[in-house]
Every structure is written in structure tokens, then in C-alpha cells.
Amino acid sequence: MSKVYLSAQLPEVATQQLKSAGLDVGVYDGDGLISHDELLKQVSDIDFLITPLSTKVDQEIIDAAPKLKLIANFGAGFNNIDTAYAKKKGIPVTNTPAVSTNAVAEVTIGLMLALSHRIVEGDHKMRHEGFPGWAPLYFLGHEIAGKTLGIFGLGNIGSDVARKANALGMNVQYYKPNRLSDPEERSMKVTYKPLDELIKTSDFITINAPQTPATQHKFDANAFEAMKQTACIINVGRGPIIDEAALLDALKSGKIAGAALDVYEKEPKVDDGFKSLKNVILTPHVGNATVEARDAMANIVAGNVLLVDGGKDAKFIVNK
């Protein structure tokens, strides 16, 4: 009987599939995130490892699991796994792409609306201070219709953000290393801009790109200096794409108007400096935290385990 270990509790649909197929399923059910030492203890005799983005799977973990046939990552990203070493050991690593596209795009748009209309700030004011009554100039925000949205990363999620932003009357421009064709741009109603131009001309910038060596600290002090003073930045991609020390300085000094962060440079830690700022929204990596998206992700990781256990190739291998 093959053994599979889940380093975090997943939606029930995953464990049901695995148990129904006759696999021996172990699940970490401790408080908080699994520790590196605890994971080392659990992998010595497993055939399959299912793990979320919050679990680091390094060379030591891989070497401690001599029978390992697959690492199925519960998430679109996979920077928590040493994929190159897994490939060297002949172990495929998979992710769960596309199924969280709509959820993350909705959160991107939601954070942008919340920033521009000061919704979180208003909620805090009502709970703690109240308000003196409606007045023409009281607590003004901004409409997003007619504003320019710059999307950094136009993959599945960025493309869906573009569609939603177009429906809200925004002017959408984008940057990605490989520009779309003219017909694709016209169909999506997006305009390509070199990154420096996108930074200078956008009213809102959303980060919808993966973390790679090329995107590390792509938004640094120089980028924030170049942004409009009225502009806001939203990060639902990966935390290290933003130099958070530079962002904090830009927000405190008024170089930019606001920020919304769903991911963090040293996640799960959040720089305390952001917490006191009224022009910042902080959410706990909830981009794809919907029942619909997480069930779809659970189906993928369980399905990949069953494919490999049955002698077939897994889907969505990221380290071929």
C-alpha cells in the first residue's frame, strides 16, 4: 500500500479520493505550520508528499525520503520546493495552475476598490471613532473608472484582472517579458508598455507575476520614486517582488498614495511599520482562499498522486 503524507490539512475532497483509492494517508494536524524537523520525521517511508506553499521542501527533506515518487504542491507557485534537486533525484514536482485564476483576480480588483474608496479605513473609523455626519468634502476617495491600470505579469491571473478592469471602465496597460501579438492585445483591450513607462503612467499597479530571480525586488526605491504621487500598488503575486523597506519609505514619505498587500517579502511575517499606516491594506495571503478554488486545487493534487501511483505521468509537472 502506497503512503502519502499531507503536510497540512486540505479540503476533504482530497483525502476522500486518496483513501477511497486504498492509499495510506497521513496528515499533519498540529497547531500552526509544520516544522522542518517534524516533516523530516514524517517522510522517511512515504511514496508521495502533498504540501502547501508554506512548507519548505529542501534537499534535506528530499534526501530523507528515499521512496518519494512525487511532490504535489498545493498552489500555483512552487518556490518553496527545491525543484532542481528533486529533478536530479528523478522526482517530479507539480503545482495547481489556472484553477485559482478567478479567485485571485477578484481579490486583486477588490483590493484596488477598497484602496480607492478607503473602505477598510472607513470601517475602522466607524468601529472606533464614528463620524460626524455626511458632508460634501468628508472622507473622499477616488473612482477607478477612467483610471489607468498597469498590470505587471499578464499570465492567466493578470489576463483575468485585465478583463475585469476593462468591464469597470479602466484603461489597461501591461508589462511582461514576451509581448502579446497585436490581435491578442486588441482582443483583450490592453496596451503594452515598457516597465519604466508602465510605472510612470499608471494610477494603479497590480503585481500578478510569479517570483523568479528576474522579478526579485523589481519594485524598489527607484520604481516608487518614478510612480505618480497619487498612485497605488497592489501585490497578490509574491512578496519578494517588492522591496518592502523601500515601499514603507515611499508610503511614509508620501511618494505614493497607498498599497494593498496580500503577500509579503518575509511571509508570514509582516513588517510592523505597515500596520500603523492608514493608506495600507494588509490581508493574510487570501488570493485563492475560496471554497471553489481550494476544492479544485485539492482535486489536482489528489489526482496527480493517483496518476503516479497507477504508473502514469502526473499533470502540471514544473521540473521536467
Side-chain angles (χ1 to χ4, degrees):
M1 180 186 297
S2 296
K3 295 188 68 172
V4 55
Y5 186 71
L6 283 60
S7 65
Q9 295 186 54
L10 301 186
E12 187 63 26
V13 63
T15 51
Q16 284 179 349
Q17 286 186 58
L18 297 169
K19 289 179 179 178
S20 295
L23 275 67
D24 181 357
V25 180
V27 182
Y28 176 71
D29 58 0
D31 295 331
L33 303 178
I34 191 169
S35 68
H36 190 265
D37 287 344
E38 178 63 23
L39 186 58
L40 274 174
K41 295 176 185 177
Q42 297 294 338
V43 300
S44 62
D45 63 345
I46 65 169
D47 300 281
F48 305 99
L49 176 61
I50 297 177
T51 185
L53 291 169
S54 53
T55 300
K56 184 177 182 180
V57 183
D58 57 14
Q59 181 175 334
E60 187 178 13
I61 296 294
I62 293 170
D63 283 341
K67 296 171 58 181
L68 195 58
K69 301 181 180 73
L70 173 72
I71 303 170
N73 213 42
F74 191 89
F78 45 88
N79 51 295
N80 57 308
I81 298 171
D82 189 336
T83 54
Y85 189 70
K87 179 180 179 179
K88 183 179 178 181
K89 300 283 283 189
I91 303 167
V93 177
T94 61
N95 68 340
T96 59
V99 292
S100 58
T101 295
N102 181 68
V104 180
E106 285 186 354
V107 167
T108 304
I109 296 294
L111 289 172
M112 183 163 50
L113 285 166
L115 267 179
S116 58
H117 289 274
R118 303 171 66 184
I119 291 172
V120 174
E121 186 183 351
D123 177 82
H124 184 273
K125 182 174 285 290
M126 292 300 296
R127 293 175 187 274
H128 299 282
E129 302 172 27
F131 78 117
W134 189 93
L137 300 181
Y138 179 71
F139 213 74
L140 298 180
H142 292 277
E143 298 176 14
I144 66 171
K147 301 298 191 300
T148 297
L149 169 62
I151 301 176
F152 179 70
L154 202 73
N156 290 329
I157 294 170
S159 297
D160 201 28
V161 170
R163 284 188 285 270
K164 289 171 167 50
N166 273 315
L168 292 168
M170 302 190 79
N171 304 309
V172 182
Q173 54 190 26
Y174 77 96
Y175 169 79
K176 62 179 296 190
N178 301 309
R179 182 176 177 176
L180 301 178
S181 67
D182 286 345
E184 288 173 318
E185 288 182 353
R186 288 194 296 270
S187 174
M188 293 182 62
K189 299 180 181 178
V190 297
T191 302
Y192 173 81
K193 294 285 185 181
L195 184 56
D196 58 346
E197 279 191 49
L198 180 137
I199 288 172
K200 291 176 184 177
T201 59
S202 297
D203 298 302
F204 296 90
I205 295 175
T206 65
I207 296 176
N208 301 105
Q211 180 184 344
T212 67
T215 62
Q216 178 87 5
H217 280 193
K218 183 62 75 172
F219 288 84
D220 57 9
N222 290 331
F224 298 126
E225 189 70 41
M227 285 173 64
K228 294 181 179 181
Q229 194 171 3
T230 55
C232 295
I233 190 165
I234 296 101
N235 190 6
V236 296
R238 286 293 178 265
I241 295 175
I242 287 181
D243 179 342
E244 287 189 355
L247 173 59
L248 190 56
D249 176 72
L251 290 164
K252 286 182 175 179
S253 63
K255 292 177 183 176
I256 66 172
L261 305 176
D262 187 49
V263 290
Y264 303 91
E265 187 173 0
K266 298 178 181 178
E267 192 168 319
K269 295 180 180 178
V270 182
D271 191 312
D272 286 340
F274 290 114
K275 297 177 183 179
S276 61
L277 299 180
K278 294 181 179 180
N279 57 342
V280 176
I281 297 174
L282 306 171
T283 52
H285 203 151
V286 296
N288 62 16
T290 64
V291 171
E292 295 85 356
R294 295 287 168 86
D295 278 355
M297 293 162 70
N299 279 320
I300 289 175
V301 294
N304 273 334
V305 167
L306 296 179
L307 282 172
V308 176
D309 193 51
K312 300 178 181 179
D313 291 335
K315 297 178 180 179
F316 312 120
I317 297 173
V318 300
N319 66 336
K320 287 184 179 180

